[in-house]
Amino acid sequence: MLINVGEVPKVALEDMNEIHEDEIKIVNKLYEKILGYEDNKTDFEELVKVFEEFLNDVVNHFSFENSLMSEYNFFAYPMHRGEHDRVLFELKSLEKLLKENKDVETLKDYLVNNFKPWIVNHVKTMDTVTAMYLSNFL
Ligand SMILES: [Fe+2]
Ligand SMILES: [Fe+2]
């Protein structure tokens, strides 16, 4: 397991909590596939399929928050959106490395050393403030 669901704090909007929980499940599934691949128990195509599922989930997660922030004129929207865009760019670069070079090692390193601490901190800070603001309208 990469991330324990309890490591990601709850925010003031239930829809956001559900999205976060689902994402943790998917990233954990991806992490298990990576470990399986390293042990020759998972084939590469299967790993790529779960990576695509993860990337798709992240895209939906970020666009859900972006559209609410835009709709309700959240004061820190550009900053919060900027973080989403940065992480998405990194994940798309990893997708390229994975598909073109079969670089599973860089993906694993990124998930452990970047994505995990990032998502925990992001939910604790930007998502928490955003959800608190949005909960005045929703
Ligand atoms: Fe979020
Ligand atoms: Fe966010």
Side-chain angles (χ1 to χ4, degrees):
M1 184 192 291
L2 179 70
I3 307 174
N4 187 304
V5 120
E7 289 178 86
V8 176
K10 293 274 183 279
V11 299
L13 274 193
E14 210 35 57
D15 285 351
M16 281 172 74
N17 289 330
E18 279 172 28
I19 288 170
H20 294 155
E21 268 183 45
D22 286 345
E23 192 150 289
I24 302 309
K25 279 182 203 152
I26 296 170
V27 78
N28 282 335
K29 185 163 91 176
L30 175 60
Y31 189 66
E32 295 315 311
K33 293 289 174 196
I34 291 171
L35 298 181
Y37 179 79
E38 287 176 340
D39 291 341
N40 297 314
K41 285 177 191 144
T42 302
D43 60 54
F44 184 69
E45 297 314 314
E46 205 180 318
L47 172 60
V48 169
K49 246 178 72 188
V50 180
F51 179 83
E52 283 168 349
E53 187 189 343
F54 170 60
L55 186 56
N56 199 34
D57 184 75
V58 173
V59 167
N60 291 334
H61 166 196
F62 291 172
S63 63
F64 176 78
E65 292 178 11
N66 290 346
S67 60
L68 285 180
M69 289 191 282
S70 160
E71 191 177 344
Y72 295 101
N73 298 307
F74 178 55
F75 53 90
Y77 173 48
M79 197 174 83
H80 190 162
R81 195 209 166 104
E83 271 296 289
H84 289 165
D85 288 347
R86 184 180 62 78
V87 170
L88 212 50
F89 177 80
E90 289 172 356
L91 289 174
K92 285 185 176 157
S93 311
L94 286 161
E95 180 185 31
K96 207 166 179 295
L97 282 175
L98 183 69
K99 290 182 175 174
E100 289 175 9
N101 305 343
K102 285 196 168 188
D103 190 350
V104 177
E105 209 181 313
T106 304
L107 173 62
K108 185 187 183 190
D109 182 72
Y110 178 84
L111 292 177
V112 173
N113 297 308
N114 294 80
F115 187 79
K116 177 179 175 169
W118 177 80
I119 191 79
V120 171
N121 183 260
H122 181 79
V123 174
K124 208 178 276 180
T125 55
M126 286 192 195
D127 280 5
T128 295
V129 177
T130 302
M132 229 173 322
Y133 175 84
L134 292 172
S135 68
N136 293 303
F137 306 98
L138 297 164

